[in-house]
Amino acid sequence: MENGNAEKKILVTGASGGIGRAIAVAAGRAGYYVICHYNRGKEKAEAALAEIKEAGGNGELIQFNISDRADCKEKLDAMTEAHGALWGIVSNAGITRDNTFAGLTGEDWDSVIHTNLDSFYNVLNPLVMPLCRKKRGRIITVASVSGVMGNRGQTNYSASKAGVIGATKALAVELASRSITVNCIAPGVIETEMIKDAPIDIIMETVPMKRAGKPEEVAALAVFLLSDAAGYITRQVISVNGGII
């Protein structure tokens, strides 16, 4: 484990899920103090934190609902009071409710937009000013190949992730002069619970590398973007998708 990052604290939302857990664990191994967020998956978040500590890292858990603005503000304000400004924020948590557009219910649309897109504001807004006062930091959002090119049966998900991409680019412009980088990772087909019911054989026909990616491959990019070495990289959308586009 690296020790140069021990004083740098980062928040990873959705640390109980596949990609989020991989990012949290990789960041912990890189020496960051990792605040692992969950909403309902406490046991999985605890497992991620345990893995971090087994590797010699450190961190803690935090619980809030990313689609609930008041809950986010209350918990994140308390976190900032306890820890001060963070070094990095990885806005990763999200959901899917897939169906053809004609088959989407209003609840399918609203739940995905409120969770995936509204969380950009709900999570980042309470944390941006402390970063600005410190004039340093890293913000990473996790979108999807679906937000870049659109996927059949994912109109709601594609809309939410395309919105995240646009918001990420705009925020990057606002924060660049304060030495805060803002970048987006757009994963393709990754081996997580999210694809367990997907038609993998059909999907693989669109992937030049003919395999799904591993969460750890996404995490490796996130850890680099958190690093000092990535200080001149901002406003970028970086795909991890096996060559789809």
Side-chain angles (χ1 to χ4, degrees):
M1 187 195 75
E2 299 174 23
N3 296 318
N5 296 320
E7 299 303 316
K8 294 178 178 178
K9 298 178 180 180
I10 69 166
L11 168 68
V12 179
T13 67
S16 58
I19 290 176
R21 175 173 176 162
I23 292 172
V25 171
R29 287 176 174 162
Y32 297 99
Y33 183 96
V34 185
I35 302 171
C36 299
H37 160 265
Y38 69 96
N39 184 23
R40 290 184 292 271
K42 184 177 181 180
E43 291 184 359
K44 291 181 179 179
E46 287 175 335
L49 182 58
E51 192 172 348
I52 290 168
K53 291 184 175 181
E54 286 170 8
N58 202 4
E60 63 186 73
L61 301 183
I62 187 171
Q63 185 279 332
F64 55 84
N65 181 350
I66 61 171
S67 64
D68 185 327
R69 188 162 299 158
D71 189 33
C72 287
K73 181 168 175 52
E74 177 186 352
K75 303 291 179 54
L76 293 172
D77 283 351
M79 183 190 70
T80 300
E81 182 70 22
H83 292 291
L86 300 177
W87 166 257
I89 305 150
V90 182
S91 182
N92 160 77
I95 63 169
T96 57
R97 295 287 185 272
D98 294 351
N99 206 337
T100 62
F101 184 68
L104 286 176
T105 66
E107 196 277 332
D108 290 335
W109 181 270
D110 290 343
S111 63
V112 169
I113 296 296
H114 291 325
T115 301
N116 296 354
L117 181 53
D118 288 359
S119 62
F120 181 95
Y121 179 89
N122 296 345
V123 172
L124 296 180
N125 184 261
L127 301 175
V128 161
M129 283 310 299
L131 266 66
C132 287
R133 285 190 286 269
K134 288 285 187 179
K135 293 186 178 180
R136 90 290 187 274
R138 305 282 186 264
I139 295 173
I140 301 169
T141 62
V142 179
S144 168
V145 66
S146 185
V148 177
M149 61 182 289
N151 277 343
R152 178 182 174 85
Q154 289 194 317
T155 306
N156 52 354
Y157 187 71
S158 294
S160 69
K161 292 302 188 178
V164 167
I165 289 170
T168 299
K169 290 184 175 183
L171 185 60
V173 177
E174 292 187 15
L175 300 184
S177 65
R178 294 172 173 83
S179 298
I180 300 167
T181 67
V182 189
N183 292 291
C184 181
I185 299 174
V189 184
I190 307 297
E191 294 176 354
T192 68
E193 286 291 309
M194 193 171 283
I195 68 164
K196 66 178 182 178
D197 297 321
I200 295 299
D201 291 343
I202 296 173
I203 292 172
M204 284 302 106
E205 293 177 4
T206 70
V207 182
M209 291 191 75
K210 302 303 179 186
R211 70 170 178 88
K214 299 180 183 302
E216 293 76 15
E217 292 172 313
V218 181
L221 174 58
V223 171
F224 173 69
L225 291 175
L226 287 167
S227 72
D228 289 330
Y232 201 56
I233 301 172
T234 196
R235 206 185 182 191
Q236 302 306 303
V237 180
I238 305 175
S239 295
V240 183
N241 63 24
I244 293 175
I245 54 174

